[in-house]
Amino acid sequence: MMTPQTMETLGSINMIEHIIRKFRELIDTDSSIPPELRGALHATLDEHLLDAKKRLLVRVHEGADAVTCG
């Protein structure tokens, strides 16, 4: 069984991925964005997605440490 904190974390990751997915759809369907720029935009989104997940997981890990040490 998952803890409430784990469920909240997974929900947050899911929301971040959903937002990034919507940006990807916009990039792929907007005809005013040149094809050569689309790749760069997708790469930037990949970086932001990884950074957001890392920040979230670090925050959760630090919270868990505070609970066990405090």
Side-chain angles (χ1 to χ4, degrees):
M1 180 164 197
M2 286 193 257
T3 66
Q5 184 178 18
T6 300
M7 290 174 54
E8 183 179 344
T9 302
L10 292 174
S12 295
I13 289 173
N14 188 42
M15 182 59 67
I16 293 166
E17 289 175 341
H18 175 76
I19 291 168
I20 297 293
R21 204 168 30 254
K22 289 297 181 182
F23 275 117
R24 289 186 192 285
E25 288 174 15
L26 179 64
I27 291 167
D28 289 338
T29 59
D30 188 335
S31 61
S32 68
I33 300 174
E36 60 274 4
L37 180 57
R38 289 179 189 191
L41 291 172
H42 282 296
T44 300
L45 285 176
D46 289 341
E47 290 176 29
H48 285 286
L49 178 59
L50 287 174
D51 288 343
K53 286 180 178 181
K54 285 178 187 176
R55 282 192 308 271
L56 182 61
L57 293 173
V58 164
R59 190 176 322 143
V60 168
H61 181 70
E62 289 173 351
D65 284 348
V67 169
T68 57
C69 294

